[in-house]
Amino acid sequence: MYDINRAESAVTQQDIKISASKVQVYYGDKHAIKDVDVEILDKTVTAFIGPSGCGKSTFLRCINRMNDTIPIARIEGKILLDGEDVYDRRVDPVQLRAKVGMVFQKPNPFPKSIYDNVAYGPRIHGLSRNKAELDEIVEKSLRGAALWNEVKDRLHEPGTGLSGGQQQRLCIARAVATAPEVLLMDEPCSALDPIATSQVEELIDQLRENFSVVIVTHSMQQAARVSQKTAFFHLGNLVEYGNTDDIFTNPQDSRTESYISGRIG
Amino acid sequence: MPLSWALLVSLALAVAGYIIGRSRAFASAGTDIRKLHSRPGYHGASVALTTLTPAIVVLMLASVLRMAKVFPPEATGFAGLLALAASVAGLGWGVTRINTDFRARNVVEKIVQGFLIFCSSIAILTTAGIVLSLIFETGHFFQKYSWTEFFFGLNWTPRFQGNSSLGILPLLWGTLYISFIALLVAVPIGMFAAIYMSEYASKRVRGIAKPAIEILAGIPTIVYGLFALITVGPMLRDYFAQPLGLGSSGSSVLTAGLVMGIMLIPFVSSLSDDIINAVPQSMRDGALGLGSTPSETIKQVVLPAALPGVVGAVLLAASRAIGETMIVVLGAGAAARLGLNPFEAMTTITVKIVSQLTGDNDFAAPETLVAFALGLTLFVITLGLNVVALYIVRKYREQYE
Ligand SMILES: Nc1ncnc2c1ncn2[C@@H]1O[C@H](COP(=O)(O)OP(=O)(O)OP(=O)(O)O)[C@@H](O)[C@H]1O
Ligand SMILES: [Mg+2]
């Protein structure tokens, strides 16, 4: 095991940020994630692809323990973040989630102003010493999420009044403002037009300089464009995981091949 | 013929009309049922409704006229016959209308819609009637008693020999004071209970506690009143008022306020619980996903999102408190007084309405008529509160839809 890790990191020059082994998730009796082993690297964009309902969101939510909020969900196995088991009883999910940020599949802005939405994370974590610093964080995050120009004159209007795609970018800005070490993004571009999409992809590329990003996407092109590593899920199994180039040009599993060429899914 | 018989017979006619209409529709369609504009059932129903509606209209008119004593009881037989005739005519007309192009479905839907409108206007019309009669009697009162003295008078001393002071202020003060104490008790406790139940309680606790609290809401207020009279009142007097030298009265503002607050707790908590539950889970997820603790999530996201609805709930509770009578009679006494001491007896508008209308009533004396002016004032206050509450609640609903 250890040797393989070393070999892997030698190839990519990166440390392992998250390492999952033998992860199982059950919703009641339904076995939604089966035996997933995966190693997510630091300063890398990892794409999760796979047909709808195969468990991408479920696995993503395991990483920052958001499944704790679903009473019927049960998780087995180990997920290590920087070598520490996130399901260890000593780990505080609150601190974990400050480190592992998340953009949800459905936009969920708070019923607050646009400014307060973005400032929410920095405020609760005390990331700014004064108003000027906070303003700066808010502007930077909104710029990163390609939303600044549209909202700079209405920062104090409610975030719920934005369009669906704008809300999605607001949620991205909100997650980025907290400066997480790992950012989990569940279909962050599903409601965005091509221009906003490419801006968000640019943001993801910038984030990669400091953070590790995991992105769920239904767009093969997007996975190919933004990610260095790709994981293909099918019916709760992790079918194939490897360098994005290899997965798209030379898939090992026939299911992967059919999916990326559009035959299943 | 008694009216109920006429109704029964026209019901039977309607059933017959349904069957006839349906078979006529089948017959006119011939072999291809799709030639019919509406399905045969609608044709049957349209005949049944055109049979029944005229009869019911006639019967209702007749009973209203009889109640208004416009025509003598002997004329009911005639009215019954008239209803039957209308019903038969309706049946005949309905049957002749049936052919393949007849829009029976639209006719049925129109009639049903009319019926629904009728039902909803009953509620509105009766309210309007009640208000009108209140206004009418209040007008009488103000002819006999100056309205400035009523609204601005500081004394409430009705005397049935005449020459009474009927100032509303002491009563209004008592009402607001007691309601204020009740809300001071009910709102925080009810809110915290709601927060616990919707955010922290396990499914099992919730399953037991929520119905239990809702049962509390069904206890008749007179029972709470007894509790105020025999337990809370004497206790407050013996352990607080007398040792502190603040009075020696068993009934007091504080007694009524406390007990009324207890009565309102389930009301506030179950309304707030529903409202907090309506805040989408995704919003909580969003806050938790940014690393906020559950309590931060509640304080900064859930409660602000629920606030307008909770304010609406509080205003509804306030209007209940203002209208409450029994607890005040038994808990706060019947002495009209303008004062600040919460251990003193005071009284409210509702209690005085009751006391002015019990006993021998002379509906020409201002001492009796004042009850209507008091009632109208109360009505306006609670109506205002309810309107504001509903407005706020509606505003809040729009946010998520
Ligand atoms: N809260 C839940 N309760 C019960 N079952 C769930 C729940 N959430 C997800 N599931 C089930 O788990 C499986 C995986 O769901 P998941 O949301 O992870 O799929 P996904 O890969 O993200 O799909 P999509 O691409 O459509 O978002 C599905 O079969 C789904 O029905
Ligand atoms: Mg998903």
Side-chain angles (χ1 to χ4, degrees), chain B residues 83-162:
Chain B
L84 267 192
S87 156
V88 171
L91 176 66
W93 183 59
V95 170
T96 53
R97 282 207 296 178
I98 291 176
N99 60 47
T100 46
D101 292 334
F102 177 54
R103 303 186 162 232
R105 176 167 51 80
N106 307 40
V107 169
V108 171
E109 276 164 6
K110 272 269 145 54
I111 294 177
V112 169
Q113 202 184 359
F115 176 70
L116 298 180
I117 292 174
F118 173 73
C119 288
S120 48
S121 41
I122 284 181
I124 296 169
L125 286 179
T126 44
T127 315
I130 292 170
V131 176
L132 277 182
S133 72
L134 271 182
I135 291 178
F136 188 71
E137 298 290 351
T138 306
H140 278 242
F141 170 66
F142 284 136
Q143 279 166 8
K144 300 206 162 78
Y145 194 86
S146 127
W147 66 272
T148 44
E149 276 181 48
F150 173 70
F151 283 116
F152 302 109
L154 295 181
N155 284 311
W156 176 269
T157 40
R159 287 189 205 92
F160 275 91
Q161 311 88 308

Side-chain angles (χ1 to χ4, degrees), chain A residues 57 105 186-187:
Chain A
S57 299
Q105 185 161 0
D186 201 344
E187 299 183 39

